[in-house]
Amino acid sequence: MKYGIPMVFNPILLIPMVITPMISLVIAYVATVIGFLPRVGLNLPWYIPFPINGIMAGGWAGLVVEIIQCAVVVAIYFPFVKLLDKQKCAEEAEKEKQAAESLDK
């Protein structure tokens, strides 16, 4: 579960969950191949916060690539999360309608 959204066994979020790591990897690879991002031979602990680990691993270029990756991942996830939200709102409205009908009886 990420930020309250069930990710496992969720067919709507399967597509971005599979695609975004690959796209992030391609962004970092292209940035390294064109010479913008230096080669990183450093394995940082997972608990280092988002902007700091980019700076520690690749300097200011690492931070820029990390911000680009974050923006791309958010852009990919957004329509899928919006669709999931729309479905959950429809389910909630249906439950409220059923509850109101049961109270009227």
Side-chain angles (χ1 to χ4, degrees), residues 34-48:
I34 64 172
F36 179 74
L37 183 65
R39 287 188 176 195
V40 177
L42 182 63
N43 191 9
L44 296 171
W46 64 269
Y47 52 81
I48 295 179

Side-chain angles (χ1 to χ4, degrees), residues 1 35 43 50 53 72 78 82 84 91:
M1 193 178 277
N43 191 9
F50 160 65
N53 64 5
V72 169
F78 185 76
K82 195 71 172 161
L84 185 64
E91 288 175 14

Side-chain angles (χ1 to χ4, degrees), residues 4 7-8 10 26 28 34-36 44 48-49 51 55 59 65-66 68 74-76 79-81 84 87 93 104-105:
M7 302 291 282
V8 179
N10 191 338
V26 168
I34 64 172
F36 179 74
L44 296 171
I48 295 179
I55 293 170
V65 169
E66 209 170 45
I68 292 169
V74 168
I76 291 171
F80 293 96
V81 172
L84 185 64
Q87 286 182 349
D104 289 340
K105 292 182 182 181

Side-chain angles (χ1 to χ4, degrees), residues 10-99:
N10 191 338
I12 294 173
L13 296 178
L14 178 67
I15 295 168
M17 198 165 75
V18 170
I19 290 176
T20 53
M22 293 185 287
I23 291 175
S24 291
L25 182 68
V26 168
I27 291 170
Y29 178 76
V30 168
T32 304
V33 167
I34 64 172
F36 179 74
L37 183 65
R39 287 188 176 195
V40 177
L42 182 63
N43 191 9
L44 296 171
W46 64 269
Y47 52 81
I48 295 179
F50 160 65
I52 297 171
N53 64 5
I55 293 170
M56 289 176 72
W60 67 270
L63 176 65
V64 171
V65 169
E66 209 170 45
I67 290 171
I68 292 169
Q69 287 174 327
C70 183
V72 169
V73 167
V74 168
I76 291 171
Y77 263 97
F78 185 76
F80 293 96
V81 172
K82 195 71 172 161
L83 176 64
L84 185 64
D85 182 50
K86 189 176 181 181
Q87 286 182 349
K88 295 298 180 182
C89 285
E91 288 175 14
E92 187 177 328
E94 182 63 32
K95 286 180 183 179
E96 288 178 3
K97 181 181 173 185
Q98 290 175 352

